[in-house]
Amino acid sequence: MPPIEVVLPKVDMDMEAGAIAAWKVAAGDRVQQGDILFEMETDKSMMEVESPGTGVIRDLAPITGEPIPVGTTVAWIDPV
């Protein structure tokens, strides 16, 4: 099975960017679909982002506090 891409989601119509406030997982962790992966901060709110699939997490984007565009890949999940 191909790896699952984790992207910064768009959570409202006019959202163009968001920032990763905190990762709740580390590279190498096993995750289940629906597990909380990270907290995302927008100009309007803070929210938790769930895993889109089950597997082992890798290639986490660094936490910079700087806005990143919606749709940017922030991690990958290798299905197990």
Side-chain angles (χ1 to χ4, degrees):
M1 295 181 70
I4 301 164
E5 186 178 23
V6 179
V7 299
L8 191 82
K10 183 173 190 167
V11 293
D12 68 42
M13 295 298 288
D14 61 347
M15 181 178 163
E16 294 181 11
I20 296 172
W23 281 102
K24 300 299 184 180
V25 296
D29 286 355
R30 292 183 71 111
V31 296
Q32 298 290 318
Q33 184 170 358
D35 287 353
I36 303 302
L37 296 182
F38 61 93
E39 290 179 352
M40 180 177 75
E41 187 174 4
T42 71
D43 58 347
K44 297 179 182 176
S45 67
M46 179 82 81
M47 63 196 51
E48 295 177 327
V49 177
E50 297 179 354
S51 176
T54 299
V56 177
I57 196 92
R58 66 174 170 89
D59 298 333
L60 304 178
I63 298 172
T64 63
E66 295 296 316
I68 55 177
V70 167
T72 298
T73 302
V74 296
W76 290 91
I77 298 171
D78 289 326
V80 178

